[in-house]
Amino acid sequence: MSEKECISLVPLHSSENSSSRTNYFRKNLGSLVATPPLFNQSQFDIVLRRQYSRQEGKPKFTAVPSRFLNLTNDFEFAGWGSISHLTLVPEDIHQADVELTSFREQQVLGQFTASALAANDILGGVFYTLPSVVALAGVYSPISLFVAALTLFLWRPVMEEMASALPISGAPYTYLLNVSTKSVALFGAALLLLDFSATAVVSAATATSYLAGEVSLPFPVYVGAAFVFVLFTVVSLSGLRESARVATGVLVMHVVVMIMLIVASVIAWGRGGMGQFRSNWSLGHVGLSPAAIARQAFNGVCIGMLGLTGFECAPSYTSKMKQNCYPKVLRNLHLSALVLTSGVMLLVMALLPLDVVESGNNILSLLAQKVAGRWLRIMVVVDAVVVLCAGVLTGILSACELLVKLSCDLILPRVFLATVPATGAPYVAVISFIAFSALIYASTGANLIVISQMFAMVWLAVMALFPVSLLLLRFSRPRLPRASQCSLFVVAGAISVTVTVAAGNVAIDPTIAGWFALYLIILLVLFYTSQNKVTILRWVYWAYDQLPWLHRRQFTKGWGDGLIRHMRKLRRQEVCLLVKTDEINNLFNMILYVRRNEETSHLKIVHFHSGDIPSEMEANARILDEAFPEITVDLMFVEGQFDPKNLAALAHHLKIPRSLMFMSSPGPNFRYSVAELGTRIISI
């Protein structure tokens, strides 16, 4: 008789000889889990050292020993699970059809509309990147910017493979959530939120600064930045379709103005010849050794990467794009950045004196004045302000996708899912993000330099998450189907470039690392506190237990019961495990994932079937119900095929969002995408 056959014969919910059951658990369950054993000694003790009594016909659980010396620990036992069979009713099926139709209707962004949302950010970077690069790289700025843009050839295949495997919004947070643990994913979420906030703040403040460099404003720069925030908060609340249309209109205007500037500059260069370029090149070489020249060019590459910001925003709204658009969006963003930044910088060096370039902030407006006169300068200034303001829109939309995902995953309160009835825009997420960005801007004393420095480090850290996510995907989810696959050398190259450029930025100004670490730590503390609310309350309950005199005071004697009620309330959200087989080692690992990553006291193991139920599923579910006394483990058999419609119907019936339904990785022959299912992948 096999070990599994033995398991199915053991009566677990009875008061038979406890020593025989103890030996059985130690011998059989310990051998079923992988080496090293996932059950440690303390877990065996809480499973095996229990007492049974009967009260009103139901078993009562008491764990021995308890960490609480004076107060009850009954709340740590969630209760026994049950076994049930379910047939989905027409109402559930109808609701599933509505949800799936809504999901498909949200895929409204075509190639150029989706490109516009991120392109306004990545192309708007030309206005605030050029002065910084010139200050460090001098005449080698065009080379530095071209090399910086070339590095995106490493990221494009990485990001395409990740999106084909996991075509879901909120990346790379959602990537990490599906290929690693929730704690690792929260680190990515903190970096992403910082990146989106820095995008919005730098864009708003630079737009106002650019305008202030041309005209005398009756108010400080920070007041203008606040006005930009208010304006694009209203635009964001008008909904995604309208926001995308605004972004497309802004991008068209920007492209037209840049074409006019480039054409006028090329004509002026042809008329004036190479004299200015040779003069600038000679001045840039004075007193420099080959090592110093190489260092200048490298510093220019490090700062020039800031001009690529916005490229990381495209994966944040992948699920809103039409099918097969994503690779084209990345191509459009990359090629436009490759041509525009280095090309315009070359024209600047060919037409403006080096001392003018190094001393001026509004370089492009100076170039427009030189090649065409004041009319083009005015157009360039207006274009700069509008495009930089659109960068605020990009940051808001990307951040809202992330905040909604965090709310669905129970990191943030459910109120972040509240939407404007007329437009469907998540107004709580929009307003919260604007407030957070304003707080960061104010905490630095409205210092644009500090925000820009942090922006550079945050962007590099976010870009590093994509190759790291791909490595984790290949290691922990190798069966997940994908349309493309890139070389490991490309992945290693992307990581190496990130580390090298980050080190270069820190070498240029070590304070960059300090500001970056400060804001990252603050966000991580907030996220991990929100993720571990029950753990923190349990520590508070333990501290209250250690002070018996508080239990006798009129004012404080009810604190213990209040803490227990609050902990139970926080853990009442149910989660689902969608399983195909009855292999106990797989079931055990999946429940262990829930125990470590979700604050819940109720779990449902769900198996879809067409009449053929695995023979050992019920017995193994009872074993796992005993093995995890802090979680009620229910087993549910659902009649029907495992597909997006039935899954959405089940979610409606159980009132459990699909984001809290977990499954193992689908194989290459699976017909549906992860985006359609809406579930989380937690095992190989």
Side-chain angles (χ1 to χ4, degrees), residues 292-305:
I293 292 174
R295 181 56 188 252
Q296 267 195 0
F298 174 71
N299 288 343
V301 172
C302 294
I303 297 299
M305 299 291 278

Side-chain angles (χ1 to χ4, degrees), residues 245-261:
R245 288 169 183 163
V246 170
T248 304
V250 171
L251 180 63
V252 170
M253 183 197 71
H254 182 54
V255 170
V256 170
V257 173
M258 287 296 103
I259 289 175
M260 294 171 61
L261 178 63

Side-chain angles (χ1 to χ4, degrees), residues 43-61:
Q43 285 174 297
F44 270 117
D45 288 343
I46 197 168
V47 172
L48 302 173
R49 298 184 63 187
R50 55 181 61 183
Q51 299 171 348
Y52 289 87
S53 65
R54 293 283 175 177
Q55 289 185 354
E56 299 179 358
K58 296 182 180 180
K60 180 182 177 182
F61 170 86

Side-chain angles (χ1 to χ4, degrees), residues 648-670:
L650 176 67
H652 176 260
H653 183 88
L654 298 178
K655 302 297 186 291
I656 300 176
R658 283 182 288 169
S659 60
L660 296 179
M661 291 184 169
F662 311 145
M663 60 181 286
S664 58
S665 175
N669 298 322
F670 192 66

Side-chain angles (χ1 to χ4, degrees), residues 604-626:
K604 291 184 182 295
I605 299 176
V606 176
H607 175 73
F608 283 86
H609 70 93
S610 300
D612 50 341
I613 297 175
S615 59
E616 300 170 19
M617 185 77 79
E618 293 188 16
N620 291 344
R622 290 192 179 98
I623 290 175
L624 295 170
D625 194 22
E626 292 240 7

Side-chain angles (χ1 to χ4, degrees), residues 407-441:
S407 182
C408 291
D409 296 329
L410 303 184
I411 304 299
L412 296 177
R414 305 288 290 182
V415 69
F416 279 84
L417 299 177
T419 59
V420 178
T423 64
Y427 68 91
V428 176
V430 171
I431 295 173
S432 299
F433 173 72
I434 292 296
F436 174 72
S437 300
L439 183 61
I440 287 183
Y441 189 38

Side-chain angles (χ1 to χ4, degrees), residues 169-176 185-199 312-313 315-316 395 398-399 401-402 406 433 436 458 461-463 465-466 520 523 527:
S169 296
Y173 159 73
T174 47
Y175 293 163
L176 293 170
L186 285 180
F187 179 79
L191 287 175
L192 269 179
L193 194 59
L194 273 181
D195 178 68
F196 298 148
S197 179
T199 297
E312 80 285 5
C313 293
S316 299
S398 301
E401 288 283 349
L402 176 63
L406 290 173
F433 173 72
F436 174 72
V458 171
V462 169
M463 292 302 289
L465 294 179
F466 290 100
L520 179 61
L523 267 184
F527 280 167

